[in-house]
Amino acid sequence: MDNQKPSLMLVDGMALLFRAYYATAVTGQFMINSKGIPTNGIYGFVKHLFTAIQSFKPSHLAVCWDMGSKTFRTEMFADYKGNRGEAPTELIPQFDLVKEVVASFDIPNIGLAGFEADDCIGTIANQMKDYVNVYILTGDQDILQLLDERVSVILLKKGFGNYHVHTPKTFFEEKGIMPRQMIDLKALMGDPSDNYPGVKGIGEKTALKLLKEFEHVEGIIANIDRLSKSNKSKIEQDLEMLHLSRKLAEIKCDVPVRCELEQAGLRIERDKALAKLMDIELRGSQSLLPLDEAFVS
């Protein structure tokens, strides 16, 4: 990372919102306001957001969102994320409201129907990494495939202010492969949380061994006769799913979205932001907004 460059934090909005919602929903603390709207997810989201801003001090920030469950991936594979139920009733009204809160901070909300937040994040990271240091804030390990010398990933851990910061070096030390090979890793072993199977019977250990030896899916297929009888048979039986899983695993970095740097500068107007937080009756609105930070006026 170049310390002379500005820094852009790209936030996976859904990751923060869901994490915040479930942390309090488990005990039934929905923080329902006088209009009957729950605000627990929004409250935790704002707290997560400002904790990260204070920890990493980005000069610029944008929040990316999923825009519905139908994407190009569900068109390729109908069961993609098909194991996820409907969003909880108490969370549904918070989806639009949290974006209004972000807008009141003068932070861009970015999302595009047909694509996931990850695709928007990947695209913007790609567009901007020559000009800024990019930090991606998420709870989702899929995004680690985007790591490079100018893109770091901040993984949220349990609680507030607990992070695991990944660079290409830390990723290699942990997995023994390069970040881009994460796509091939997921193609082989599948992803239960996104509901696609990869190759039946191949887990992480075998997948990593194959990738260290043959580099990527194409390399494995080109050398299929060198594999053990068991692995050769598993891959041959699931060849179609292997190719499909690779397409599902790869984050698209050419989505038609943009993030203009001048619109993403952190310049929060305290009165405007506070008015919004008080309008939705967010508990402790005053204490949620940092008092003396350079980005709050």
Side-chain angles (χ1 to χ4, degrees), residues 268-276 289 296-297:
I268 296 169
E269 289 178 40
R270 187 176 177 78
D271 291 348
K272 178 180 171 184
L274 195 56
K276 185 66 190 176
L289 283 174
V296 181
S297 60

Side-chain angles (χ1 to χ4, degrees), residues 271-282:
D271 291 348
K272 178 180 171 184
L274 195 56
K276 185 66 190 176
L277 298 184
M278 291 176 83
D279 177 54
I280 62 173
E281 300 167 34
L282 222 50

